[in-house]
Amino acid sequence: MREKINKLREEFNSSILSIKDEKGYESIYFRFLGRKGEIAGLFKKMPEVPQEERASVGSVINEFKKFCEGKLEEAHRNLLREKKEPGKKTCLDVTLPGTLPSLGRRHPITQMVSEIERIFSMMGFTVAHGPEIETDYYNFEALNIPADHPARDEQDSFYLTSSYLLRTHTSPGQIRVMKKTKPPLRVIIPGRCFRRDAVDASHLHTFYQVEGLMVDKEVTFSHLKGILEVFAREIFGPQAAMRFRPDYFPFTEPSAEISISCFPCRGRGCRTCSNTGWLEIGGAGMVHPSVFKVVGYNYEDFSGFAFGLGIDRLIMNRYGINDIRILYENDLRFLRQF
Ligand code: DAH
C-alpha cells in the first residue's frame, strides 16, 4: 500500500507540471481527487490493510490528499493569473537583490542656509523670515528708497499690483523685525528674492539672500567686520579673506561692498573670479538714521549694522560653480554631488 502511494505521488508530481490549461487541470483533478479517482481508490482498499497498520496508512493517504489539493489549487490560481496577465512571471525569486528606494537629500541651497543659521546662532543671532510678496513700502519706502530714487533702477522688480511686488531683496525683513522688536537685537533673515534681471551665468530672476542686522548701544563698523570675518572663516576655512570697499545704499551710511577671496583659486585668480581673486558677495553698512526713524528707534542711543549676502554666490564660490542656473535646474547629476 505504501509503495502504491509513493508511486502515485511521483505520478502526481510529474503530471501537475504538465498542466497547460483548464482541461489538463480538470483531468488531473478527476484522476486523483475525483469520486472514483486514485485517492478514493486507496481509501476503498483500506479493508485489505492489516488492522495494526490502518491508522498510519490512513493518515499517509490523508496527507497525500491534502498535498494534492494544495498543489492543484496553486496550479489553478496560476492558470487564472496567466489568463488575466499573460506572460507575467509567477515565481518570486527572493534571492534577487531588492530595488533600493532612491533616497533624497537636501538641496545645496538648503544646506548652505542651515549652515549660515548655525554660524550666526553661535554669535547670538536669531533667525526671522519675511514674506516673498512685499509691499512697495517695506521693499523700498521704509528703506529710504522713495518712488523717484535712482536706486530703484538697480532692482528691476516684478510688480503684482501698483503696491505689491515680489521682494527684490531681504532688506525689508529688517524693517519688519525692528517694528516688532525693541533693541538690542541680532537677527538674520534668509530667503528667496526676485528681480527682473536678464538671465545669464551670474544672474537669475530668482535667487537667495541672507540679511543680517545687529542693533545695540555703540555698535560699530568693527563689529560688522569681525562678525563677517568669523562667518567667512567658518564657511571657507581660516585662510578666507574679506574685502570691504566703499559703496552706496540708501539705508546704510557709510556703506560697503563686500567681497571674499576666491575659494577655488585661493585668491590667485581663475575663471570663477574672472582672474581678480575676489568675488563680490553682498553689501553692508551702518543702519541709516532715517531707517531708525521709520521703525521708531532712537538713533541717539542706538546704532547698528546691516548686511545682505548672496547665498548663491557663497555656494558658487565654495564649489567653484561658474553658472548660477545650475543651482535651479533640478538636474540630479548635479544635485547628487552634495
Ligand atoms: N539689499 C541690498 C541688495 O540686495 C544688499 C544690502 C546692502 C543689504 C547693504 C544690507 C546692506 O543690509 O546694509 O542689493
Side-chain angles (χ1 to χ4, degrees):
M1 189 72 159
R2 284 179 200 274
E3 239 170 56
K4 173 122 180 96
I5 296 173
N6 282 340
K7 228 179 114 214
L8 276 178
R9 197 190 290 271
E10 267 168 36
E11 279 181 43
F12 178 81
N13 281 341
S14 65
S15 53
I16 194 130
L17 293 176
S18 69
I19 293 181
K20 296 241 153 44
D21 51 20
E22 201 83 10
K23 244 190 182 161
Y25 162 78
E26 271 174 16
S27 78
I28 290 168
Y29 185 94
F30 286 118
R31 176 165 169 226
F32 288 90
L33 293 170
R35 271 202 315 134
K36 293 184 178 163
E38 298 283 7
I39 288 173
L42 291 173
F43 278 118
K44 260 193 210 137
K45 288 208 174 120
M46 281 300 269
E48 296 172 20
V49 177
Q51 183 79 30
E52 331 71 87
E53 277 194 71
R54 259 182 223 163
S56 71
V57 171
S59 79
V60 173
I61 302 174
N62 265 324
E63 179 267 322
F64 179 47
K65 187 180 171 194
K66 277 217 180 87
F67 172 78
C68 294
E69 284 171 344
K71 283 283 174 199
L72 277 162
E73 202 182 298
E74 194 189 336
H76 197 236
R77 246 186 285 129
N78 287 343
L79 276 180
L80 290 182
R81 191 177 315 140
E82 178 64 21
K83 222 190 217 168
K84 257 205 318 210
E85 297 165 311
K88 191 166 170 184
K89 285 247 162 55
T90 52
C91 56
L92 172 70
D93 186 348
V94 293
T95 63
L96 284 173
T99 329
L100 272 186
S102 73
L103 273 189
R105 64 192 74 207
R106 295 191 310 156
H107 192 280
I109 296 177
T110 314
Q111 289 182 29
M112 182 57 93
V113 170
S114 303
E115 203 163 331
I116 291 169
E117 291 177 356
R118 177 186 67 79
I119 295 166
F120 280 102
S121 309
M122 287 192 313
M123 296 189 279
F125 283 70
T126 54
V127 181
H129 297 280
E132 289 178 359
I133 295 176
E134 260 302 358
T135 61
D136 185 274
Y137 172 77
Y138 279 107
N139 198 79
F140 293 126
E141 289 282 339
L143 288 164
N144 205 22
I145 315 175
D148 56 0
H149 199 289
R152 286 205 182 197
D153 292 348
E154 281 182 21
Q155 303 193 359
D156 265 344
S157 322
F158 291 111
Y159 273 91
L160 305 171
T161 67
S162 59
S163 50
Y164 283 97
L165 70 155
L166 299 181
R167 67 174 171 202
T168 57
H169 51 175
T170 44
S171 303
Q174 288 185 33
I175 308 292
R176 289 184 178 274
V177 167
M178 284 193 279
K179 280 201 170 183
K180 273 200 302 220
T181 326
K182 283 206 170 83
L185 63 87
R186 290 178 214 185
V187 66
I188 57 164
I189 308 151
R192 197 155 49 155
C193 306
F194 311 86
R195 283 188 204 176
R196 215 159 52 84
D197 279 336
V199 171
D200 62 28
S202 49
H203 295 89
L204 205 57
H205 44 73
T206 304
F207 55 96
Y208 276 78
Q209 283 192 343
V210 58
E211 196 76 12
L213 175 70
M214 173 170 171
V215 182
D216 206 332
K217 294 199 160 110
E218 293 169 14
V219 171
T220 68
F221 207 96
S222 309
H223 294 119
L224 167 67
K225 284 189 75 175
I227 282 199
L228 285 180
E229 269 172 26
V230 168
F231 169 70
R233 286 188 196 132
E234 281 287 323
I235 296 269
F236 296 105
Q239 77 294 340
M242 286 219 135
R243 184 181 70 178
F244 292 77
R245 293 199 296 188
D247 202 345
Y248 171 77
F249 297 101
F251 39 94
T252 43
E253 180 61 36
S255 306
E257 168 206 282
I258 311 165
S259 300
I260 188 158
S261 50
C262 182
F263 187 64
C265 66
R266 306 269 184 262
R268 280 190 292 269
C270 67
R271 235 156 66 91
T272 304
C273 58
S274 314
N275 279 320
T276 61
W278 296 98
L279 274 163
E280 190 193 327
I281 55 163
M286 301 307 292
V287 181
H288 198 289
S290 63
V291 171
F292 277 157
K293 229 186 277 175
V294 163
V295 298
Y297 280 14
N298 182 345
Y299 58 83
E300 303 283 343
D301 293 344
F302 289 96
S303 59
F305 66 72
F307 59 83
L309 308 179
I311 292 179
D312 315 88
R313 295 277 177 95
L314 293 170
I315 298 169
M316 289 165 76
N317 189 20
R318 183 159 175 185
Y319 299 112
I321 297 166
N322 296 313
D323 194 325
I324 185 174
R325 290 169 286 196
I326 199 161
L327 284 174
Y328 293 85
E329 282 168 353
N330 286 334
D331 187 334
L332 289 179
R333 290 169 302 178
F334 171 72
L335 295 175
R336 285 205 177 105
Q337 298 175 53
F338 295 90

